[in-house]
Amino acid sequence: MSTPNGRLSINQATIKYAPLADALQVTSDAGITSIGLWRDSVQAASLPEAGRLLADSGLRFSSLCRGGFFTVPEGRARRAAMDDNRRAIEETAHLAASGAPGSVAILVMVAGGIPQGSRDIAGARSMVHDALAELAPDAEAAGVTLALEPLHPMYASDRAVISTLKQALDLAAPFSPATVGVVVDTFHVWWDPELFPQIERAGAERRIASYQVCDWKTPLAADVLLSRHYPGDGVIDFAGITRAVQAAGYAGDIEVELFNQDIWDTPPAEAVARTVEGFEASVSAHLGHLSGDLRR
Amino acid sequence: MSTPNGRLSINQATIKYAPLADALQVTSDAGITSIGLWRDSVQAASLPEAGRLLADSGLRFSSLCRGGFFTVPEGRARRAAMDDNRRAIEETAHLAASGAPGSVAILVMVAGGIPQGSRDIAGARSMVHDALAELAPDAEAAGVTLALEPLHPMYASDRAVISTLKQALDLAAPFSPATVGVVVDTFHVWWDPELFPQIERAGAERRIASYQVCDWKTPLAADVLLSRHYPGDGVIDFAGITRAVQAAGYAGDIEVELFNQDIWDTPPAEAVARTVEGFEASVSAHLGHLSGDLRR
């Protein structure tokens, strides 16, 4: 097996059923040098233990999934959501400090859907703004970047009222780029007619906190949450998008995050090998050398 | 049963399994005064017979679904697509002339997806531009408006590379508004953060050729094409969108077009009654009186 591109990071969701220790091992065994973790898995191990396992693995830490779900009217449930996000910020800082050099303290944020019984998507969006304003000081104090992820518009009602890169950048604008950034996930944004100018803008504003790659293919899975594919298996133009993200100055790890029942039913080592293969064929070739001053 | 709002039009897809004569009858029996037709049904009856049936029904004709599917590389298949669109233009003109006074010659256009084996969505979009340029003289000569419909981004790869109202308006811009307009279908555009400014723009540019209402609700149907709901059954803000379309000067018929297996399995008269109910509860209240000069 060839050595995978050094910027590839396995998002743990791709091998969802592997417990944390196994996920780290299978990633490392594949010659991959970075991993993105999920909170449920980290909490199942306990945060201190997860930090030790990560440190022992020698892998970089590329992100924690995920905070957010902010679209809750003020009251006890919103306070609980805020407290949970503060814990996620602390977890992110701890894991970033535990990972190998080059680890980053990135907390991926999914906005949340329209509150139950409401039809007010604009109101839900303003709850996201308010939540970011409330959490920004905590993130800044912890040295964590809140990475707001626009999700595909098919999730706009029940998962994320933030659907485009432009929206995410507009929401991030009042904050320092070190505190609030954005995620560019090809699956979510590939269709957007404004994608390329907004990637350029994201670069100019130094907001790209994470670049994630996975493919889009139809028919969609019956559960549209599980419809993600290995890079190269669908219709996404990874050449164009990767070059644009690269030209925008992003030089960090690139995660592959696949929600797909067939992939989850594949033995983890095989799913990781297929991921490496897809990444090499569709993404690696478009990652040229960057001059030192473009590196984060 | 109360008299339905005079602007309600049943799009024939809502009662997909009813042959044309039955569809006209059930619509008329419900006190509805307008209908949007589908080409397969018109062709099954033959165009002259469809025109006679429509004339006899006393209903207005609000649109023909559909032309488009332009994203075919130059060659025999593209020529066939163009010829088929020219026939659709003729059918639209004939049906508009056959319907009751107030009928409009609107041909709904769905762009088409990314060509098989391609990953070039920008290239596919330029094929839509070229097709409109080619067909515009035919449409103009026939007095038909090509109404470009942006579809939800979940259909961007396999059905419509035009996903937003802004894109559709940009494509329409080189043409006269009488020749190329846009469809505002709530199901497709409700999530768009740019929706309200683009509706306002569409009004200012006199491009709104059709307003269609149906609702969005999750979980989506396993076949995402069949995931449309009666107005009021989901999360769409019909008050806000309807008022915006109204304020933009649109005073034409408003179609309800529901692709939904459960609705198709409902007896047509019952589906139409449910449609009237949903329309009255969620849409009618927001249709104020318009001054004469705003009427199309």
Side-chain angles (χ1 to χ4, degrees):
Chain A
M1 203 173 70
S2 61
T3 307
N5 189 293
R7 291 178 63 187
L8 169 60
S9 175
I10 293 292
N11 183 292
Q12 198 181 353
T14 301
I15 46 174
K16 178 188 168 78
Y17 298 149
L20 180 57
D22 297 351
L24 294 164
Q25 189 68 52
V26 82
T27 300
S28 178
D29 285 351
I32 295 165
T33 53
S34 182
I35 194 164
L37 298 179
W38 275 69
R39 293 187 71 201
D40 53 354
S41 170
V42 166
Q43 289 169 357
S46 88
L47 179 61
E49 176 65 7
R52 276 189 294 271
L53 288 169
L54 176 63
D56 290 348
S57 76
L59 295 171
R60 289 190 304 280
F61 169 76
S62 56
S63 78
L64 184 64
C65 282
R66 64 201 176 193
F69 292 92
F70 291 139
T71 51
V72 184
E74 191 51 74
R76 190 176 296 185
R78 186 171 177 89
R79 289 301 102 206
M82 288 299 147
D83 289 347
D84 191 49
N85 274 288
R86 291 192 176 93
R87 281 192 296 276
I89 289 169
E90 293 307 319
E91 290 163 7
T92 305
H94 182 80
L95 293 166
S98 305
S103 293
V104 287
I106 303 285
L107 175 59
V108 174
M109 308 298 264
V110 171
I114 300 172
Q116 193 66 32
S118 165
R119 292 190 175 92
D120 182 9
I121 194 169
R125 286 167 177 159
S126 77
M127 291 179 194
V128 179
H129 168 270
D130 295 349
L132 288 174
E134 184 177 338
L135 291 173
D138 299 272
E140 194 177 357
V144 167
T145 302
L146 307 176
L148 194 56
E149 181 166 16
L151 259 54
H152 193 283
M154 70 185 172
Y155 306 124
S157 64
D158 60 0
R159 193 154 295 260
V161 293
I162 306 303
S163 305
T164 66
L165 200 47
K166 176 175 189 300
Q167 266 186 298
L169 289 167
D170 289 350
L171 276 164
F175 307 98
S176 144
T179 305
V180 182
V182 299
V183 179
V184 177
D185 182 323
T186 55
F187 180 84
H188 294 305
V189 299
W190 72 274
W191 61 272
D192 184 355
E194 310 290 329
L195 178 60
F196 290 97
Q198 292 298 326
I199 288 175
E200 194 179 335
R201 171 189 170 195
E205 298 177 359
R206 309 186 68 78
R207 296 279 178 193
I208 305 178
S210 179
Y211 177 44
Q212 300 184 340
V213 291
C214 79
D215 218 335
W216 173 279
K217 170 164 114 166
T218 57
L220 298 174
D223 177 348
V224 292
L225 277 177
L226 306 186
S227 207
R228 294 159 163 251
H229 297 272
Y230 295 114
D233 283 5
V235 301
I236 291 180
D237 169 26
F238 289 103
I241 301 177
T242 299
R243 284 188 198 133
V245 169
Q246 184 87 351
Y250 182 72
D253 291 339
I254 302 173
E255 291 188 9
V256 179
E257 183 190 41
L258 301 169
F259 297 84
N260 179 313
Q261 192 61 54
D262 289 340
I263 295 174
W264 291 342
D265 291 338
T266 305
E270 195 181 321
V272 167
R274 284 285 324 269
T275 300
V276 169
E277 219 172 271
F279 192 89
E280 295 301 304
S282 295
V283 182
S284 288
H286 313 292
L287 297 170
H289 284 287
L290 283 177
S291 59
D293 60 351
L294 276 174
R295 296 192 69 86
R296 303 173 72 238
Chain B
M1 205 173 69
S2 61
T3 307
N5 188 293
R7 293 179 62 189
L8 169 61
S9 177
I10 293 291
N11 182 291
Q12 199 182 352
T14 301
I15 45 175
K16 177 188 170 79
Y17 299 149
L20 179 58
D22 297 351
L24 294 163
Q25 190 66 54
V26 82
T27 299
S28 180
D29 286 351
I32 295 165
T33 53
S34 182
I35 193 164
L37 298 180
W38 274 69
R39 294 188 71 200
D40 52 353
S41 170
V42 167
Q43 290 170 356
S46 87
L47 179 61
E49 176 64 8
R52 277 189 293 272
L53 288 168
L54 176 63
D56 291 348
S57 75
L59 295 172
R60 290 190 304 282
F61 169 76
S62 56
S63 77
L64 184 64
C65 282
R66 61 197 179 194
F69 292 93
F70 292 139
T71 50
V72 183
E74 192 49 77
R76 188 175 298 185
R78 185 172 179 88
R79 288 301 103 208
M82 287 300 144
D83 289 346
D84 191 51
N85 274 287
R86 289 191 177 93
R87 281 191 296 275
I89 288 169
E90 293 309 319
E91 291 163 8
T92 305
H94 183 81
L95 293 166
S98 306
S103 293
V104 288
I106 302 285
L107 176 59
V108 174
M109 308 297 264
V110 171
I114 301 172
Q116 194 66 34
S118 165
R119 293 189 173 93
D120 182 10
I121 193 168
R125 286 166 177 159
S126 77
M127 291 178 194
V128 178
H129 168 270
D130 295 349
L132 288 174
E134 183 176 340
L135 292 172
D138 300 272
E140 194 176 358
V144 167
T145 303
L146 308 176
L148 193 57
E149 180 166 16
L151 259 54
H152 193 284
M154 69 186 172
Y155 306 124
S157 64
D158 59 1
R159 194 153 296 260
V161 294
I162 306 304
S163 305
T164 66
L165 200 48
K166 176 175 189 300
Q167 265 185 300
L169 289 167
D170 289 349
L171 276 163
F175 307 98
S176 143
T179 306
V180 182
V182 300
V183 180
V184 178
D185 181 325
T186 55
F187 180 83
H188 293 305
V189 300
W190 72 275
W191 60 272
D192 184 354
E194 310 290 328
L195 178 60
F196 290 96
Q198 291 299 324
I199 288 175
E200 194 180 335
R201 172 189 169 194
E205 297 176 0
R206 308 185 69 78
R207 296 279 178 194
I208 305 179
S210 179
Y211 177 43
Q212 300 183 340
V213 291
C214 79
D215 218 337
W216 173 279
K217 170 163 113 165
T218 57
L220 298 175
D223 177 348
V224 293
L225 276 178
L226 306 185
S227 206
R228 293 159 164 251
H229 298 273
Y230 295 115
D233 282 4
V235 301
I236 291 181
D237 169 27
F238 290 103
I241 301 176
T242 299
R243 285 188 196 132
V245 169
Q246 184 87 349
Y250 181 72
D253 291 339
I254 302 174
E255 291 188 10
V256 178
E257 183 190 42
L258 302 169
F259 298 84
N260 178 315
Q261 192 61 53
D262 290 340
I263 295 174
W264 291 342
D265 291 338
T266 305
E270 192 182 322
V272 167
R274 283 287 323 270
T275 299
V276 170
E277 218 173 273
F279 191 89
E280 294 301 304
S282 296
V283 181
S284 287
H286 313 293
L287 296 171
H289 285 287
L290 283 178
S291 61
D293 60 352
L294 275 175
R295 294 193 70 89
R296 304 171 72 237

